[in-house]
Amino acid sequence: MAVIHRTTLTPTKLELLTSWLPTRPWYEGEGRPELLKGGGFRLDDPKGEVGIDFMVVTDVSGDRSVSYHVPLTYRGAPLEDTAHALIGTAEHGVLGPRWVYDGTHDPVLVAQLHALLHGDAEPQHQSVSDTPDPSVVASLTGAPVPGPVRLTGVADGPHATDIVVDGDGGGRLTLRFTRVMRPGEADAGRTRGHVTAGWRLHDETEARGVYVVVLDAPR
């Protein structure tokens, strides 16, 4: 299981996201955001090489606060052919240089999310080492998509990012990453599955909502 180091990251994740968020089509603010950590959860990379973080941040710069889901991956070297998904680089106090990516473009995050949906990965507490997070709920209905899976497309929309995955054993799914977070449960009648978890609003009250929705991918 991943070890959460109590050390520094320079620049911080919030500092990196402050510059990156306004470049996204789903960012609802105007100008420079003022970000607070909202929570989330982690998944483990079986090889122990890539950090996987499903992070929520809340922008309190405007008249109303807005929470955003930003899945991140942390790598010790650049990910080949993915410069467009690089959020920035940072210096970790223990691990050294880290390349921080929008995780929707990272095949390791996608593979572990697929494993979570199929019951083959356990969600982890975001800030405590070796601690499962049972509050994260993943479900999938219908025929499974046998792994390993390949990431074959990524598209940003006004409120979500859709990625298409193909299973080597057949089958195809769309994983819709909610970007603008709203409290509420998934509409199970219109989807094949979902991942739900909690986060904190700007006033420290607890919220719960949909991080990822699973849909049948168009052929």
Side-chain angles (χ1 to χ4, degrees):
M1 293 184 178
V3 175
I4 309 300
H5 298 280
R6 302 301 179 184
T7 186
T8 58
L9 187 70
T10 308
T12 67
K13 286 179 277 189
L14 292 184
E15 288 170 339
L16 289 173
L17 291 174
T18 295
S19 299
W20 182 77
L21 272 177
T23 70
R24 302 298 94 193
W26 35 265
Y27 178 63
E28 296 189 350
E30 296 181 2
R32 186 178 178 84
E34 181 182 347
L35 300 179
L36 304 175
K37 290 182 179 180
F41 64 96
R42 287 181 175 251
L43 293 176
D44 285 335
D45 171 16
K47 295 183 178 180
E49 297 175 354
V50 179
I52 304 171
D53 188 1
F54 293 78
M55 184 176 183
V56 175
V57 296
T58 299
D59 179 15
V60 296
S61 63
D63 294 336
R64 62 181 182 89
S65 63
V66 182
S67 294
Y68 298 98
H69 174 208
V70 188
L72 302 174
T73 57
Y74 314 98
R75 288 176 167 266
L79 178 60
E80 186 176 357
D81 298 326
T82 320
H84 59 284
L86 181 67
I87 293 175
T89 57
E91 186 71 21
H92 190 280
V94 175
L95 301 176
R98 306 298 283 171
W99 281 257
V100 183
Y101 287 95
D102 175 0
T104 61
H105 295 261
D106 195 313
V108 173
L109 180 145
V110 173
Q112 289 311 107
L113 176 59
H114 176 264
L116 174 67
L117 288 164
H118 285 77
D120 297 324
E122 188 173 35
Q124 301 293 309
H125 195 283
Q126 190 178 46
S127 57
V128 183
S129 299
D130 300 338
T131 303
D133 186 346
S135 71
V136 180
V137 176
S139 69
L140 184 65
T141 62
V145 174
V149 292
R150 291 171 285 108
L151 172 58
T152 58
V154 182
D156 277 320
H159 302 290
T161 299
D162 284 359
I163 71 169
V164 177
V165 297
D166 288 340
D168 281 357
R172 169 177 283 191
L173 292 173
T174 294
L175 304 179
R176 178 166 292 168
F177 289 73
T178 305
R179 292 298 199 167
V180 181
M181 298 293 288
R182 312 288 190 208
E185 294 298 324
D187 182 356
R190 300 178 57 190
T191 70
R192 282 204 52 193
H194 58 267
V195 177
T196 61
W199 76 94
R200 294 181 305 280
L201 300 176
H202 70 285
D203 59 1
E204 294 298 318
T205 58
E206 297 293 326
R208 186 174 180 84
V210 181
Y211 281 56
V212 180
V213 173
V214 185
L215 306 165
D216 283 314
R219 291 290 179 178

